[in-house]
């Protein structure tokens, strides 16, 4: 428990090895999870309170990581944290389809570096662009989809964990924002013509 007497949101294995009574009490709130198709679960999480940070060290790891998650985690993870890079370096549909697998997702926190190159994605517009990506064709392809609460958060020092060469070039990122505004203009024209 923390200083207020509440359980913290995550527990490491060593916390559960202290004594039998502590383990029994902790397991009322935490489940063993985050296994993959090739390795058993090793992390204890309180799905209702924990933000699960799925960290990719290199750009090519996002797709294999998402493909290897167990169905139980895809159903139970409610609060997910990813690097914004995981969206920017992948095709919009690939990213959207990966997020759609989290069937009970309530909150999606996207981390971005404090680098100058990332400035355009530290604005509220970026959240709207990402929402558009996740909502695209949802009515036809994923009718049960519920939009999670999306936040983009600057994390100074995140660039240390990322190779700038792995990011989509600024022109490609700028095209995503421009495409979003173009799509909204078309929707406005279509709705006013009907």
């Amino acid at each position: 428990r923390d200083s207020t007497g509440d359980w913290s949101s995550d527990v490491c294995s060593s916390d559960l090895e202290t004594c039998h009574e502590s383990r029994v009490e902790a397991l009322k709130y935490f489940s063993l999870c985050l296994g993959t198709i090739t390795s058993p679960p090793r992390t204890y999480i309180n799905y209702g309170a924990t933000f699960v940070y799925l960290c990719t060290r290199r750009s090519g790891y996002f797709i294999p990581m998402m493909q290897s998650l167990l169905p139980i985690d895809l159903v139970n993870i409610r609060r997910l944290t990813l690097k914004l890079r995981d969206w920017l370096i992948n095709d919009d549909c690939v990213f959207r389809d990966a997020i759609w697998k989290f069937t009970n997702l309530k909150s999606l926190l996207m981390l971005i570096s404090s680098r100058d190159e990332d400035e355009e994605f530290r604005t509220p517009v970026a959240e709207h662009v990402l929402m558009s990506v996740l909502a695209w064709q949802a009515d036809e392809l994923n009718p049960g989809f519920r939009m999670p609460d999306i936040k983009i958060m600057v994390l100074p020092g995140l660039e240390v964990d990322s190779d700038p060469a792995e990011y989509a070039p600024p022109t490609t990122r700028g095209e995503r924002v421009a495409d979003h505004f173009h799509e909204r203009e078309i929707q406005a024209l279509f709705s006013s013509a009907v």
Side-chain angles (χ1 to χ4, degrees):
R1 293 185 188 238
D2 64 19
S3 60
T4 65
D6 294 330
W7 285 99
S8 62
S9 61
D10 57 349
V11 169
C12 67
S13 297
S14 63
D15 292 339
L16 293 174
E17 294 173 2
T18 55
C19 69
H20 176 73
E21 292 81 14
S22 294
R23 180 179 177 84
V24 168
E25 191 64 26
L27 289 176
K28 291 178 184 177
Y29 302 94
F30 298 91
S31 303
L32 188 59
C33 47
L34 289 183
T36 67
I37 56 175
T38 58
S39 65
R42 294 187 178 129
T43 306
Y44 287 90
I45 292 178
N46 177 337
Y47 284 116
T50 303
F51 268 86
V52 177
Y53 177 33
L54 298 177
C55 178
T56 52
R57 296 278 180 210
R58 301 202 46 86
S59 62
Y61 290 178
F62 177 74
I63 294 170
M65 176 182 66
M66 289 300 187
Q67 291 172 339
S68 69
L69 288 170
L70 296 176
I72 188 93
D73 291 319
L74 294 172
V75 169
N76 288 323
I77 291 174
R78 295 183 192 133
R79 293 169 180 84
L80 180 63
T81 302
L82 296 169
K83 292 179 184 173
L84 195 71
R85 176 193 70 188
D86 294 329
W87 165 41
L88 295 177
I89 62 171
N90 287 289
D91 180 73
D92 285 347
C93 291
V94 168
F95 184 81
R96 176 203 66 190
D97 293 349
I99 299 304
W100 279 1
K101 290 180 181 181
F102 295 91
T103 55
N104 290 309
L105 193 62
K106 304 283 187 244
S107 180
L108 178 60
L109 177 63
M110 303 297 290
L111 303 178
I112 192 162
S113 76
S114 55
R115 296 183 338 200
D116 291 342
E117 296 89 349
D118 293 332
E119 184 175 352
E120 66 189 316
F121 281 93
R122 292 193 295 264
T123 65
V125 171
E127 292 173 5
H128 295 294
V129 174
L130 186 51
M131 282 190 231
S132 295
V133 167
L134 294 179
W136 187 62
Q137 293 188 320
D139 292 342
E140 300 89 28
L141 302 176
N142 191 2
F145 175 69
R146 291 179 313 257
M147 183 66 67
D149 179 38
I150 296 174
K151 297 286 183 229
I152 295 176
M153 184 178 94
V154 178
L155 185 61
L158 186 65
E159 55 273 8
V160 172
D161 189 34
S162 305
D163 179 0
E166 293 181 337
Y167 273 75
T171 54
T172 305
R173 291 182 292 164
E175 287 171 8
R176 279 191 158 115
V177 173
D179 288 346
H180 169 72
F181 284 118
H182 181 67
E183 181 70 25
R184 295 208 39 192
E185 288 173 359
I186 290 173
Q187 288 173 355
L189 287 171
F190 179 76
S191 62
S192 65
V194 173

